[in-house]
mmCIF file of all heavy atoms in Angstrom:
data_model
loop_
_atom_site.group_PDB
_atom_site.id
_atom_site.type_symbol
_atom_site.label_atom_id
_atom_site.label_comp_id
_atom_site.label_asym_id
_atom_site.label_seq_id
_atom_site.Cartn_x
_atom_site.Cartn_y
_atom_site.Cartn_z
ATOM 1 N N THR A 207 2.319 -8.043 -8.281
ATOM 2 C CA THR A 207 1.792 -6.944 -9.086
ATOM 3 C C THR A 207 1.402 -5.806 -8.154
ATOM 4 O O THR A 207 0.493 -5.950 -7.342
ATOM 5 C CB THR A 207 0.555 -7.405 -9.890
ATOM 6 O OG1 THR A 207 0.928 -8.487 -10.735
ATOM 7 C CG2 THR A 207 -0.002 -6.266 -10.720
ATOM 8 N N TRP A 208 2.129 -4.716 -8.255
ATOM 9 C CA TRP A 208 1.869 -3.546 -7.426
ATOM 10 C C TRP A 208 0.857 -2.653 -8.128
ATOM 11 O O TRP A 208 0.906 -2.457 -9.334
ATOM 12 C CB TRP A 208 3.155 -2.765 -7.189
ATOM 13 C CG TRP A 208 4.100 -3.474 -6.287
ATOM 14 C CD1 TRP A 208 5.124 -4.294 -6.657
ATOM 15 C CD2 TRP A 208 4.112 -3.449 -4.858
ATOM 16 N NE1 TRP A 208 5.774 -4.774 -5.549
ATOM 17 C CE2 TRP A 208 5.171 -4.277 -4.429
ATOM 18 C CE3 TRP A 208 3.328 -2.816 -3.897
ATOM 19 C CZ2 TRP A 208 5.464 -4.465 -3.087
ATOM 20 C CZ3 TRP A 208 3.634 -3.006 -2.566
ATOM 21 C CH2 TRP A 208 4.683 -3.826 -2.176
ATOM 22 N N ARG A 209 -0.077 -2.075 -7.353
ATOM 23 C CA ARG A 209 -1.079 -1.143 -7.874
ATOM 24 C C ARG A 209 -0.915 0.188 -7.162
ATOM 25 O O ARG A 209 -0.851 0.234 -5.941
ATOM 26 C CB ARG A 209 -2.491 -1.669 -7.644
ATOM 27 C CG ARG A 209 -2.779 -2.948 -8.394
ATOM 28 C CD ARG A 209 -4.183 -3.466 -8.095
ATOM 29 N NE ARG A 209 -4.273 -3.860 -6.691
ATOM 30 C CZ ARG A 209 -5.207 -3.447 -5.838
ATOM 31 N NH1 ARG A 209 -6.143 -2.616 -6.227
ATOM 32 N NH2 ARG A 209 -5.226 -3.856 -4.588
ATOM 33 N N LYS A 210 -0.855 1.257 -7.947
ATOM 34 C CA LYS A 210 -0.718 2.590 -7.356
ATOM 35 C C LYS A 210 -2.079 3.083 -6.895
ATOM 36 O O LYS A 210 -3.089 2.881 -7.574
ATOM 37 C CB LYS A 210 -0.143 3.569 -8.371
ATOM 38 C CG LYS A 210 0.182 4.935 -7.773
ATOM 39 C CD LYS A 210 0.785 5.863 -8.776
ATOM 40 C CE LYS A 210 2.214 5.458 -9.015
ATOM 41 N NZ LYS A 210 2.969 6.475 -9.752
ATOM 42 N N SER A 211 -2.101 3.722 -5.759
ATOM 43 C CA SER A 211 -3.341 4.275 -5.219
ATOM 44 C C SER A 211 -3.932 5.293 -6.190
ATOM 45 O O SER A 211 -3.218 6.115 -6.764
ATOM 46 C CB SER A 211 -3.054 4.955 -3.882
ATOM 47 O OG SER A 211 -4.174 5.719 -3.485
ATOM 48 N N SER A 212 -5.244 5.257 -6.345
ATOM 49 C CA SER A 212 -5.917 6.234 -7.202
ATOM 50 C C SER A 212 -5.859 7.627 -6.593
ATOM 51 O O SER A 212 -6.108 8.617 -7.268
ATOM 52 C CB SER A 212 -7.368 5.820 -7.431
ATOM 53 O OG SER A 212 -8.074 5.788 -6.209
ATOM 54 N N ARG A 213 -5.531 7.720 -5.324
ATOM 55 C CA ARG A 213 -5.433 9.008 -4.633
ATOM 56 C C ARG A 213 -4.019 9.583 -4.656
ATOM 57 O O ARG A 213 -3.791 10.676 -4.145
ATOM 58 C CB ARG A 213 -5.881 8.880 -3.180
ATOM 59 C CG ARG A 213 -7.306 8.440 -3.019
ATOM 60 C CD ARG A 213 -8.231 9.530 -3.439
ATOM 61 N NE ARG A 213 -9.614 9.143 -3.197
ATOM 62 C CZ ARG A 213 -10.601 9.967 -3.223
ATOM 63 N NH1 ARG A 213 -10.399 11.233 -3.477
ATOM 64 N NH2 ARG A 213 -11.821 9.543 -3.008
ATOM 65 N N SER A 214 -3.068 8.867 -5.241
ATOM 66 C CA SER A 214 -1.704 9.378 -5.320
ATOM 67 C C SER A 214 -1.666 10.584 -6.244
ATOM 68 O O SER A 214 -2.370 10.630 -7.257
ATOM 69 C CB SER A 214 -0.754 8.301 -5.847
ATOM 70 O OG SER A 214 -0.613 7.272 -4.916
ATOM 71 N N LEU A 215 -0.851 11.528 -5.892
ATOM 72 C CA LEU A 215 -0.721 12.727 -6.713
ATOM 73 C C LEU A 215 0.002 12.397 -8.013
ATOM 74 O O LEU A 215 0.908 11.572 -8.042
ATOM 75 C CB LEU A 215 0.037 13.816 -5.954
ATOM 76 C CG LEU A 215 -0.626 14.305 -4.667
ATOM 77 C CD1 LEU A 215 0.270 15.325 -3.973
ATOM 78 C CD2 LEU A 215 -1.979 14.916 -4.965
ATOM 79 N N GLY A 216 -0.363 13.068 -9.086
ATOM 80 C CA GLY A 216 0.225 12.813 -10.392
ATOM 81 C C GLY A 216 1.687 13.175 -10.502
ATOM 82 O O GLY A 216 2.398 12.677 -11.360
ATOM 83 N N ASN A 217 2.186 14.036 -9.641
ATOM 84 C CA ASN A 217 3.577 14.467 -9.745
ATOM 85 C C ASN A 217 4.528 13.575 -8.945
ATOM 86 O O ASN A 217 5.676 13.926 -8.730
ATOM 87 C CB ASN A 217 3.716 15.928 -9.311
ATOM 88 C CG ASN A 217 3.220 16.150 -7.892
ATOM 89 O OD1 ASN A 217 2.886 15.212 -7.186
ATOM 90 N ND2 ASN A 217 3.181 17.405 -7.477
ATOM 91 N N ASN A 218 4.044 12.410 -8.499
ATOM 92 C CA ASN A 218 4.846 11.406 -7.790
ATOM 93 C C ASN A 218 5.401 11.866 -6.451
ATOM 94 O O ASN A 218 6.364 11.319 -5.955
ATOM 95 C CB ASN A 218 5.986 10.894 -8.671
ATOM 96 C CG ASN A 218 5.459 10.048 -9.794
ATOM 97 O OD1 ASN A 218 4.461 9.348 -9.641
ATOM 98 N ND2 ASN A 218 6.112 10.107 -10.932
ATOM 99 N N GLU A 219 4.825 12.900 -5.851
ATOM 100 C CA GLU A 219 5.297 13.333 -4.543
ATOM 101 C C GLU A 219 4.744 12.474 -3.418
ATOM 102 O O GLU A 219 5.401 12.273 -2.418
ATOM 103 C CB GLU A 219 4.920 14.794 -4.302
ATOM 104 C CG GLU A 219 5.737 15.752 -5.133
ATOM 105 C CD GLU A 219 5.385 17.185 -4.836
ATOM 106 O OE1 GLU A 219 4.738 17.458 -3.810
ATOM 107 O OE2 GLU A 219 5.772 18.049 -5.624
ATOM 108 N N GLN A 220 3.528 11.983 -3.559
ATOM 109 C CA GLN A 220 2.898 11.178 -2.516
ATOM 110 C C GLN A 220 2.265 9.947 -3.165
ATOM 111 O O GLN A 220 1.067 9.931 -3.429
ATOM 112 C CB GLN A 220 1.846 11.983 -1.765
ATOM 113 C CG GLN A 220 2.416 13.149 -1.015
ATOM 114 C CD GLN A 220 1.327 13.920 -0.292
ATOM 115 O OE1 GLN A 220 0.174 13.587 -0.319
ATOM 116 N NE2 GLN A 220 1.729 14.989 0.374
ATOM 117 N N CYS A 221 3.081 8.950 -3.437
ATOM 118 C CA CYS A 221 2.585 7.768 -4.133
ATOM 119 C C CYS A 221 2.664 6.540 -3.234
ATOM 120 O O CYS A 221 3.714 6.229 -2.680
ATOM 121 C CB CYS A 221 3.407 7.506 -5.390
ATOM 122 S SG CYS A 221 3.295 8.855 -6.570
ATOM 123 N N VAL A 222 1.552 5.865 -3.123
ATOM 124 C CA VAL A 222 1.475 4.642 -2.335
ATOM 125 C C VAL A 222 1.053 3.527 -3.273
ATOM 126 O O VAL A 222 0.181 3.705 -4.114
ATOM 127 C CB VAL A 222 0.443 4.792 -1.195
ATOM 128 C CG1 VAL A 222 0.268 3.488 -0.451
ATOM 129 C CG2 VAL A 222 0.863 5.897 -0.254
ATOM 130 N N GLU A 223 1.694 2.363 -3.126
ATOM 131 C CA GLU A 223 1.330 1.198 -3.920
ATOM 132 C C GLU A 223 0.980 0.055 -2.986
ATOM 133 O O GLU A 223 1.527 -0.048 -1.885
ATOM 134 C CB GLU A 223 2.486 0.776 -4.819
ATOM 135 C CG GLU A 223 2.810 1.792 -5.882
ATOM 136 C CD GLU A 223 3.989 1.378 -6.728
ATOM 137 O OE1 GLU A 223 4.999 0.902 -6.182
ATOM 138 O OE2 GLU A 223 3.897 1.549 -7.954
ATOM 139 N N VAL A 224 0.064 -0.794 -3.430
ATOM 140 C CA VAL A 224 -0.324 -1.963 -2.652
ATOM 141 C C VAL A 224 -0.253 -3.200 -3.533
ATOM 142 O O VAL A 224 -0.366 -3.129 -4.751
ATOM 143 C CB VAL A 224 -1.748 -1.831 -2.060
ATOM 144 C CG1 VAL A 224 -1.836 -0.678 -1.098
ATOM 145 C CG2 VAL A 224 -2.780 -1.708 -3.142
ATOM 146 N N ALA A 225 -0.042 -4.339 -2.885
ATOM 147 C CA ALA A 225 -0.032 -5.629 -3.575
ATOM 148 C C ALA A 225 -0.606 -6.675 -2.637
ATOM 149 O O ALA A 225 -0.456 -6.585 -1.421
ATOM 150 C CB ALA A 225 1.389 -6.012 -3.979
ATOM 151 N N SER A 226 -1.268 -7.646 -3.220
ATOM 152 C CA SER A 226 -1.828 -8.747 -2.447
ATOM 153 C C SER A 226 -0.994 -9.991 -2.707
ATOM 154 O O SER A 226 -0.782 -10.370 -3.859
ATOM 155 C CB SER A 226 -3.278 -8.981 -2.872
ATOM 156 O OG SER A 226 -3.818 -10.062 -2.174
ATOM 157 N N VAL A 227 -0.502 -10.595 -1.628
ATOM 158 C CA VAL A 227 0.327 -11.793 -1.731
ATOM 159 C C VAL A 227 -0.182 -12.798 -0.704
ATOM 160 O O VAL A 227 -0.146 -12.517 0.495
ATOM 161 C CB VAL A 227 1.812 -11.486 -1.469
ATOM 162 C CG1 VAL A 227 2.654 -12.744 -1.568
ATOM 163 C CG2 VAL A 227 2.320 -10.416 -2.413
ATOM 164 N N SER A 228 -0.640 -13.940 -1.178
ATOM 165 C CA SER A 228 -1.194 -14.968 -0.295
ATOM 166 C C SER A 228 -2.237 -14.355 0.621
ATOM 167 O O SER A 228 -3.202 -13.798 0.162
ATOM 168 C CB SER A 228 -0.095 -15.669 0.498
ATOM 169 O OG SER A 228 0.814 -16.288 -0.364
ATOM 170 N N GLU A 229 -2.016 -14.434 1.905
ATOM 171 C CA GLU A 229 -2.955 -13.897 2.894
ATOM 172 C C GLU A 229 -2.458 -12.597 3.496
ATOM 173 O O GLU A 229 -2.742 -12.297 4.660
ATOM 174 C CB GLU A 229 -3.198 -14.934 3.990
ATOM 175 C CG GLU A 229 -3.898 -16.174 3.509
ATOM 176 C CD GLU A 229 -5.308 -15.895 3.002
ATOM 177 O OE1 GLU A 229 -6.039 -15.119 3.650
ATOM 178 O OE2 GLU A 229 -5.669 -16.440 1.943
ATOM 179 N N THR A 230 -1.705 -11.812 2.718
ATOM 180 C CA THR A 230 -1.183 -10.543 3.222
ATOM 181 C C THR A 230 -1.372 -9.435 2.197
ATOM 182 O O THR A 230 -1.544 -9.676 1.009
ATOM 183 C CB THR A 230 0.326 -10.629 3.549
ATOM 184 O OG1 THR A 230 1.042 -10.954 2.355
ATOM 185 C CG2 THR A 230 0.617 -11.655 4.609
#
Side-chain angles (χ1 to χ4, degrees):
T207 301
W208 289 94
R209 296 178 294 128
K210 187 178 285 193
S211 168
S212 62
R213 299 290 184 166
S214 292
L215 298 177
N217 58 7
N218 290 327
E219 288 182 15
Q220 296 180 2
C221 298
V222 175
E223 294 178 316
V224 297
S226 178
V227 179
S228 300
E229 294 296 317
T230 61

